[in-house]
Amino acid sequence: MTSPTLGRANDLGLSLQQQRQRAAFWFLAPMVVALFCVAAWPLLRTIWFSLTDTSMDNLYGGKFIGFDNYLRVQTLSNGTVRYRGTLVDPAWWNAVWNTIRFSVVSVTLETIIGLGIALVLNAEFKGRGLVRAAILIPWAIPTIVSAKMWAWMLNDQYGILNDIMMNLGLIDTKIAWTASNDTAMIAVLIVDVWKTAPFMALLCLAGLQMVPRDIYEAARIDGVHPVKVFWKITLPLIRPALMVAVIFRMLDALRIFDLVYVLTPNSAATKTMSVISRENLFEFNNFAYGSAQSTLLFAILAIFVSLYIWLGKVNLSGEGR
Amino acid sequence: MDGMKLLKSASFYLLVVVIVVFSVFPFYYAIVTSFSTGTALFSVHYWPVAWDWSNYESVLGGRTFPRNILNSIFISSVTVAFALTLAVTASYALARVRFRGRALLLMTILGVSMFPQIAVLAGLFELMRYLNLLNTPWALIISYTIFTLPFTVWVLTTFMRDLPVEIEEAAIVDGATPWIIITKVFMPLMWPAMVTTGLLAFIGAWNEFLFALTFTMTEVQRTTPVAIALLSGASQQEIPWGPIMAASVIVTVPLVILVLVFQRKIVAGLTAGGVKG
């Protein structure tokens, strides 16, 4: 951890600033090395694998084949041209659309519901602390556990959700939520919104509590309608906090794996980019092909983040405050 | 006028009740299910019908689940200890020392925390196989660094940045080296922040699924999320819902208690890590 240079720095006659910078270097080095080993290096290897024909049994025997895992154009002897590779693979594009549809719908719902809950919690009422504790529970429950809990509640024969809806007369036949292609995505969305909307609410609430109370007071005295107060005062003031919360949620949603894998296994209607990549990597023995898909997912996320920061002018680093 | 007011506050409280039920009901229902066995499982009960501990006995008396719990505790604790050790010194450098490339380094750390884990999965698998760590806890401890370390560095940096300059200046005047400043001046002030970040990192490691699923091969090496996801009954067709719910309750209750005890600190820690407007 420490290094002999730190103690002796004074004796060498370095200026205070130089001494501090030298110490900073040694303080940062272990972290940088650790992050290089678990993030940068594996990422580079994944990208490299995507350009080879490596297989699971022979990790070091792969030959460089260029971009063939992404797109390969073959001209057959009879003159017809065939396209191969991930970029023309319908299963991959299905996964891309599933992921995007899931992310956009879930994050939108979570933001709206989360903001709603936050507005309720921002009001003064008896038992507010208890409610705030209660909404932390879905966040604290491991994703796998929530997937299993909801799989049981959404069970077609014995599930409580079908029972409630039958009793209320909303449906007349039991729905196979997780098994049917029409409802599998809805099932995943329900669980994800349940798990993360309360968390969004807490982030929004933190933003709301930074809005000075006297602004509301002034608006009330001037007789401004509460809806107008929300759109003209509250929302613009919490927009920066909201933008950052949305991007973090969006990134989480775009890489979703565990919930889909456990709640709706092998359903084409919900298979996301992470799920299909892992399937190719470790289940279908298409190691290089799966690497190409995970590299694409990385590229899509990187582009999304850059666009978002650039267009939304989001200050993520907190520097220069 | 009074009737109007009453209606308003009644509908407000109704909304509050809906929020609470929506949040708590699934966990409550898992607990109810975990105490049902046999045919009681196959009819819907809104209230507990019996206190039958046999699901818990079958899970905890099973061959592997107790071991899976120990795996999870060991892996999460070591991961957190490792991340905090590296993060304390790194965040001091990032928060208190001016040097070129600091903003870039901060953005890189934030970037790593946003990494899709699937993008490093193939490379990490190769690394773990090369180091002969597959199917050991160390494969998971090392891989979990990818999300615990950036997170702890980030939160501790924001925390340290807000500490007043004066306390450090006094130490510098007294001739303290940066190492002394961290251990003697900052560490005592940072305990609350370290407990919070450590707890959040612990929860992250405890809940992780993708790496744990990929880097473990045998039942005894699994962590609890993988064990629960792959828990199967006597036959393939029959899903053992009772034991699954019992196992779920066992791994969730400690987390829920921790979160409720530390709720204020957790919310503060999450806001520092996530929302920084």
Side-chain angles (χ1 to χ4, degrees), chain A residues 219-249:
Chain A
R220 203 177 53 84
I221 290 166
D222 289 347
V224 184
H225 193 270
V227 175
K228 201 175 175 190
V229 172
F230 174 76
W231 286 108
K232 296 281 174 188
I233 299 173
T234 314
L235 205 56
L237 280 173
I238 63 166
R239 199 194 81 106
L242 206 57
M243 291 284 280
V244 180
V246 166
I247 192 176
F248 276 89
R249 274 303 310 141

Coordinates of all heavy atoms in Angstrom, one line a residue, chain A residues 219-249:
Chain A
A219 N -45.3 30.8 -4.8 CA -46.2 30.4 -5.8 C -47.7 30.3 -5.3 O -48.6 30.7 -6.0 CB -45.8 29.1 -6.5
R220 N -47.8 29.8 -4.1 CA -49.1 29.6 -3.5 C -49.8 30.9 -3.2 O -51.0 31.1 -3.5 CB -49.0 28.8 -2.2 CG -50.2 28.0 -1.8 CD -49.9 27.2 -0.5 NE -49.4 28.0 0.6 CZ -50.1 28.8 1.4 NH1 -51.4 28.8 1.3 NH2 -49.5 29.5 2.3
I221 N -49.0 31.8 -2.7 CA -49.5 33.2 -2.4 C -50.0 33.9 -3.7 O -51.0 34.5 -3.7 CB -48.5 34.0 -1.6 CG1 -48.3 33.4 -0.2 CG2 -48.9 35.5 -1.6 CD1 -47.1 34.0 0.5
D222 N -49.2 33.7 -4.7 CA -49.6 34.3 -6.0 C -50.7 33.5 -6.7 O -51.2 33.9 -7.8 CB -48.4 34.3 -7.0 CG -47.4 35.3 -6.5 OD1 -47.7 36.1 -5.6 OD2 -46.2 35.3 -7.0
G223 N -51.2 32.4 -6.1 CA -52.3 31.7 -6.6 C -52.0 30.9 -7.9 O -52.9 30.7 -8.7
V224 N -50.8 30.5 -8.0 CA -50.4 29.7 -9.2 C -51.0 28.2 -9.0 O -50.8 27.7 -7.9 CB -48.9 29.6 -9.4 CG1 -48.5 28.9 -10.7 CG2 -48.3 31.0 -9.4
H225 N -51.6 27.7 -10.1 CA -52.1 26.3 -10.0 C -51.0 25.3 -9.7 O -50.0 25.4 -10.3 CB -52.9 26.0 -11.3 CG -53.8 24.8 -11.1 ND1 -53.3 23.5 -11.4 CD2 -55.0 24.7 -10.7 CE1 -54.3 22.7 -11.2 NE2 -55.4 23.3 -10.8
P226 N -51.3 24.3 -8.8 CA -50.2 23.4 -8.5 C -49.6 22.7 -9.7 O -48.4 22.4 -9.7 CB -51.0 22.4 -7.6 CG -52.1 23.1 -7.0 CD -52.5 24.2 -8.0
V227 N -50.5 22.3 -10.7 CA -50.0 21.7 -11.9 C -49.0 22.6 -12.6 O -47.9 22.1 -13.1 CB -51.1 21.3 -12.9 CG1 -50.6 20.7 -14.1 CG2 -52.1 20.3 -12.2
K228 N -49.3 23.8 -12.7 CA -48.4 24.8 -13.3 C -47.1 24.9 -12.5 O -46.0 25.0 -13.1 CB -49.1 26.2 -13.4 CG -48.4 27.0 -14.5 CD -49.2 28.3 -14.7 CE -48.5 29.2 -15.7 NZ -49.0 30.5 -15.8
V229 N -47.2 24.9 -11.2 CA -46.0 25.0 -10.3 C -45.1 23.8 -10.6 O -43.9 23.9 -10.8 CB -46.4 24.9 -8.8 CG1 -45.2 24.8 -7.9 CG2 -47.2 26.2 -8.5
F230 N -45.7 22.6 -10.8 CA -44.9 21.4 -11.1 C -44.1 21.6 -12.4 O -42.9 21.3 -12.5 CB -45.8 20.2 -11.2 CG -45.1 18.9 -11.6 CD1 -44.2 18.3 -10.7 CD2 -45.2 18.5 -12.9 CE1 -43.5 17.1 -11.1 CE2 -44.5 17.3 -13.3 CZ -43.7 16.7 -12.4
W231 N -44.9 22.0 -13.5 CA -44.2 22.1 -14.8 C -43.2 23.2 -14.9 O -42.2 23.1 -15.5 CB -45.2 22.2 -15.9 CG -46.0 20.9 -16.1 CD1 -47.3 20.6 -15.8 CD2 -45.4 19.7 -16.7 NE1 -47.6 19.3 -16.2 CE2 -46.5 18.8 -16.8 CE3 -44.2 19.4 -17.3 CZ2 -46.3 17.5 -17.3 CZ3 -44.0 18.1 -17.8 CH2 -45.1 17.2 -17.8
K232 N -43.6 24.3 -14.2 CA -42.7 25.5 -14.4 C -41.6 25.7 -13.4 O -40.6 26.4 -13.6 CB -43.6 26.8 -14.4 CG -44.6 26.9 -15.5 CD -44.0 27.3 -16.8 CE -45.0 27.2 -17.9 NZ -44.4 27.5 -19.2
I233 N -41.9 25.1 -12.2 CA -40.9 25.4 -11.1 C -40.2 24.0 -10.7 O -38.9 23.9 -10.9 CB -41.5 26.0 -9.8 CG1 -42.1 27.3 -10.2 CG2 -40.5 26.1 -8.7 CD1 -42.9 27.9 -9.0
T234 N -41.0 23.1 -10.3 CA -40.4 21.8 -9.8 C -39.5 21.1 -10.8 O -38.4 20.8 -10.6 CB -41.5 20.9 -9.2 OG1 -42.4 21.6 -8.5 CG2 -40.9 19.8 -8.4
L235 N -40.2 20.8 -12.0 CA -39.5 20.0 -13.0 C -38.2 20.7 -13.4 O -37.1 20.0 -13.5 CB -40.4 19.7 -14.1 CG -40.1 18.4 -14.9 CD1 -40.1 17.2 -14.0 CD2 -41.1 18.2 -16.0
P236 N -38.2 22.0 -13.8 CA -36.9 22.6 -14.3 C -35.8 22.5 -13.2 O -34.6 22.3 -13.5 CB -37.3 24.0 -14.6 CG -38.7 24.0 -14.8 CD -39.3 22.9 -14.0
L237 N -36.2 22.6 -11.9 CA -35.2 22.7 -10.8 C -34.6 21.3 -10.6 O -33.5 21.2 -10.2 CB -35.8 23.2 -9.5 CG -35.9 24.7 -9.5 CD1 -36.7 25.2 -8.3 CD2 -34.6 25.4 -9.5
I238 N -35.4 20.2 -10.7 CA -34.9 18.9 -10.5 C -34.4 18.2 -11.8 O -33.9 17.1 -11.7 CB -35.8 18.0 -9.7 CG1 -37.1 17.7 -10.6 CG2 -36.2 18.5 -8.4 CD1 -37.9 16.5 -10.1
R239 N -34.5 18.9 -12.9 CA -34.0 18.3 -14.2 C -32.6 17.8 -14.1 O -32.4 16.7 -14.6 CB -34.2 19.4 -15.3 CG -34.2 18.7 -16.7 CD -34.1 19.8 -17.8 NE -32.6 20.1 -17.9 CZ -31.9 19.7 -18.9 NH1 -32.4 19.0 -19.9 NH2 -30.6 19.9 -19.0
P240 N -31.6 18.5 -13.6 CA -30.3 17.9 -13.7 C -30.2 16.6 -12.9 O -29.6 15.6 -13.4 CB -29.4 19.0 -13.0 CG -30.2 20.3 -13.0 CD -31.6 19.9 -13.0
A241 N -30.8 16.6 -11.7 CA -30.7 15.3 -10.9 C -31.5 14.2 -11.7 O -31.0 13.1 -11.8 CB -31.4 15.5 -9.6
L242 N -32.6 14.6 -12.3 CA -33.4 13.6 -13.1 C -32.6 13.1 -14.3 O -32.7 11.8 -14.5 CB -34.7 14.3 -13.5 CG -35.9 13.4 -13.7 CD1 -36.2 12.6 -12.5 CD2 -37.1 14.2 -14.2
M243 N -31.9 13.9 -15.0 CA -31.2 13.5 -16.2 C -30.1 12.5 -15.8 O -30.0 11.5 -16.5 CB -30.5 14.7 -16.8 CG -31.3 15.7 -17.4 SD -32.0 15.2 -19.0 CE -30.6 15.5 -20.1
V244 N -29.4 12.7 -14.7 CA -28.4 11.7 -14.3 C -29.0 10.4 -13.8 O -28.6 9.4 -14.2 CB -27.5 12.4 -13.2 CG1 -26.4 11.4 -12.8 CG2 -26.9 13.6 -13.7
A245 N -30.1 10.5 -13.1 CA -30.8 9.3 -12.6 C -31.3 8.5 -13.8 O -31.1 7.3 -13.9 CB -32.0 9.7 -11.7
V246 N -31.8 9.2 -14.8 CA -32.3 8.5 -16.0 C -31.2 7.8 -16.8 O -31.3 6.6 -17.2 CB -33.1 9.4 -16.9 CG1 -33.3 8.8 -18.3 CG2 -34.4 9.8 -16.3
I247 N -30.0 8.4 -16.9 CA -28.9 7.8 -17.7 C -28.4 6.6 -16.9 O -28.2 5.5 -17.5 CB -27.8 8.8 -18.0 CG1 -26.9 8.1 -19.0 CG2 -27.0 9.1 -16.8 CD1 -25.8 9.0 -19.5
F248 N -28.3 6.6 -15.6 CA -27.9 5.5 -14.9 C -28.8 4.3 -15.0 O -28.5 3.1 -15.2 CB -27.6 5.8 -13.4 CG -26.2 6.4 -13.2 CD1 -26.0 7.8 -13.3 CD2 -25.1 5.6 -12.9 CE1 -24.8 8.3 -13.1 CE2 -23.9 6.1 -12.8 CZ -23.7 7.5 -12.9
R249 N -30.1 4.6 -14.9 CA -31.1 3.6 -15.0 C -31.1 3.0 -16.5 O -31.2 1.8 -16.7 CB -32.5 4.2 -14.8 CG -32.9 4.2 -13.3 CD -32.9 2.8 -12.7 NE -33.6 1.8 -13.5 CZ -33.2 0.6 -13.7 NH1 -32.1 0.1 -13.2 NH2 -33.9 -0.2 -14.5

